Amino acid sequence: MSDALWRTRPDAFAIRPATGLRRRQITDFLWLSESNSNVYLVVTREGRVVINTGMGFEAPVHKAWFDSIDASPLRYILLTQG
């Protein structure tokens, strides 16, 4: 069994802005784009759900990758942080 996803999070000194390198598929319907604040894409039959959005300057990196995975409409954005 693999470690819980939250256990793989780097410490504060290792956190870096979003790039095209630190991203991965977690399940058949869930993708992670690592950044200052990790961003997740959930693909459903009704459209996409984005969990967190990262920092504003990282948005183009996350959006480009998520658009390449699935082109369905963005239905919801869930924010878990202030």
Side-chain angles (χ1 to χ4, degrees), residues 13-43:
F13 298 105
I15 295 172
R16 303 278 186 265
T19 70
L21 303 175
R22 297 178 311 130
R23 53 194 188 190
R24 62 190 162 112
Q25 185 172 0
I26 297 172
T27 69
D28 291 341
F29 58 88
L30 178 64
W31 287 262
L32 162 65
S33 184
E34 291 186 34
S35 62
N36 285 315
S37 174
N38 287 348
V39 179
Y40 298 87
L41 171 68
V42 180
V43 177

Side-chain angles (χ1 to χ4, degrees), residues 2-3 6 20 25 30 39 44 46 49 67 73:
S2 63
D3 283 339
W6 65 270
Q25 185 172 0
L30 178 64
V39 179
T44 72
E46 292 79 25
V49 177
D67 286 350

